[in-house]
Amino acid sequence: MKIINTIEELQAIRKKLNGSIGFVPTMGALHDGHISLIKNARANNDIVVVSIFVNPTQFLAHEDFDKYPKRDAADKKICELCKVDYLFMPEISSMYQGDDEVLVKAPKISGFILEGEKRPGHFDGVLQVVLKLFNLVQPTNAYFGKKDAQQLSLISQMVKNLFLPINIVECEIIREADGLALSSRNVYLTQEQRKEALAISKSLNMTIISVTKGERDSTTIKNKMQEIMSNLDIEYIAIVNKNFEEIQTIEVKNTIILIACKLGNTRLIDNMWI
Ligand code: AMP
């Protein structure tokens, strides 16, 4: 595996690459969720590129940019074991060229609901950095987790709207054995919060059982979820179709149930695709 730290080196290497390129953008502190994306890329491409870049422009001023977990040595080892060909770890100063850049903006409606409403500007930053990374890596296939469902949807829309010749591959959510969705931010949780956080996946699992039994009413499902998560500080529970429009009646195979909540200062998101 080759580690690349500069834009110039990446561009020089990219010019010489032939064959399909699978790309997995991450912010590091790699866990089994990231690994599943990398394995998917490895299984379906000639060349695998992973990036680790904690992108400052997608964090709001009060968020955890400064303390976002960093595990560079472990991350390199993981990538090596997963047979990644190129690991791109750029500096902030090389990815951004000042405060007055040409910007890509999240769409006014779907980019400013749910996560976009709670974290205004977040998706602008995500799209900005992903577009830069796409332009540098020029992947055939790019792998994103359903864990960040709205991000995945907006990146797919960017690819479509800007005519980028990249196939976006949606990857399943990876969970701990007890149901907690893997996240680099889980390390912030105290033991007590870690236990309380299980209510999130429990409430999502309940929705599957309810829908299987025939329940289709969003309000009924949301009320049941709220009961299960009564100890948590819920930011939102939303039931949307795949266009991220809120729906009153659940449509099987076209519904995403989303949760954002806080445990102390730690913000967790999770979702279930029904
Ligand atoms: P991050 O490092 O948090 O920016 O995530 C990088 C990629 O990994 C994104 O596409 C995420 O959606 C994906 N990802 C994060 N957690 C999980 C998970 N538990 N299961 C599947 N994919 C995940």
Side-chain angles (χ1 to χ4, degrees):
M1 181 179 82
K2 172 137 190 65
I3 296 171
I4 305 174
N5 294 115
T6 68
I7 306 280
E8 294 72 24
E9 194 182 5
L10 176 59
Q11 286 177 320
I13 288 172
R14 177 64 188 89
K15 268 189 199 151
K16 294 185 191 143
L17 294 181
N18 289 310
S20 61
I21 299 180
F23 177 44
V24 183
T26 80
M27 297 207 298
L30 301 180
H31 51 62
D32 282 350
H34 300 112
I35 292 173
S36 75
L37 270 54
I38 298 171
K39 283 188 173 161
N40 197 342
R42 183 68 283 169
N44 295 294
N45 296 274
D46 299 317
I47 297 156
V48 174
V49 181
V50 172
S51 65
I52 295 180
F53 181 63
V54 182
N55 173 38
T57 64
Q58 70 189 70
F59 288 79
L60 274 66
H62 65 277
E63 291 183 344
D64 56 342
F65 173 68
D66 288 330
K67 64 175 178 122
Y68 196 81
K70 267 204 174 302
R71 307 250 189 288
D72 283 359
D75 288 351
K76 286 176 190 169
K77 195 85 224 153
I78 288 170
C79 287
E80 221 167 67
L81 291 170
C82 290
K83 300 194 167 29
V84 168
D85 296 295
Y86 298 99
L87 174 57
F88 180 49
M89 302 174 80
E91 296 293 330
I92 294 173
S93 58
S94 58
M95 287 296 284
Y96 289 99
Q97 296 145 31
D99 292 334
D100 194 25
E101 288 201 332
V102 170
L103 295 175
V104 47
K105 289 278 184 196
K108 287 197 186 74
I109 298 170
S110 56
F112 286 87
I113 53 170
L114 305 170
E115 286 302 283
E117 187 186 355
K118 298 292 174 195
R119 306 180 71 190
H122 166 68
F123 286 126
D124 292 344
V126 169
L127 296 176
Q128 185 80 0
V129 79
V130 170
L131 182 58
K132 283 170 184 268
L133 290 166
F134 280 175
N135 285 333
L136 289 167
V137 176
Q138 299 169 45
T140 320
N141 299 300
Y143 295 78
F144 292 88
K146 288 180 169 180
K147 161 89 171 25
D148 299 279
Q150 199 177 356
Q151 168 178 288
L152 170 57
S153 164
L154 291 169
I155 289 169
S156 301
Q157 192 182 337
M158 176 173 75
V159 163
K160 184 165 172 265
N161 291 165
L162 301 184
F163 311 113
L164 304 178
I166 298 169
N167 177 41
I168 300 298
V169 183
E170 304 180 348
C171 301
E172 294 306 322
I173 300 174
I174 304 299
R175 298 176 179 282
E176 303 273 15
D178 60 10
L180 183 68
L182 288 170
S183 162
S184 303
R185 289 191 167 100
N186 289 351
V187 296
Y188 298 149
L189 299 173
T190 63
Q191 268 188 355
E192 195 52 38
Q193 289 170 338
R194 170 75 182 64
K195 272 189 218 148
E196 285 170 5
L198 290 181
I200 303 170
S201 52
K202 222 171 139 187
S203 76
L204 288 170
N205 285 336
M206 174 281 295
T207 66
I208 302 260
I209 295 168
S210 294
V211 171
T212 308
K213 285 185 182 159
E215 183 60 71
R216 294 290 183 273
D217 182 56
S218 293
T219 309
T220 310
I221 296 267
K222 278 191 203 173
N223 288 341
K224 282 190 190 173
M225 292 174 75
Q226 239 149 12
E227 253 171 58
I228 296 174
M229 294 194 293
S230 58
N231 283 340
L232 305 184
D233 176 6
I234 300 170
E235 281 195 356
Y236 62 77
I237 297 173
I239 301 188
V240 301
N241 62 21
K242 286 191 182 160
N243 296 323
F244 277 81
E245 295 153 340
E246 297 247 8
I247 48 174
Q248 191 49 49
T249 306
I250 288 173
E251 306 155 25
V252 175
K253 294 215 161 95
N254 187 30
T255 298
I256 312 174
I257 304 186
L258 304 132
I259 297 172
C261 63
K262 280 184 97 172
L263 291 102
N265 290 327
T266 306
R267 189 170 183 280
L268 298 180
I269 58 169
D270 198 353
N271 66 73
M272 187 74 79
W273 299 45
I274 288 186

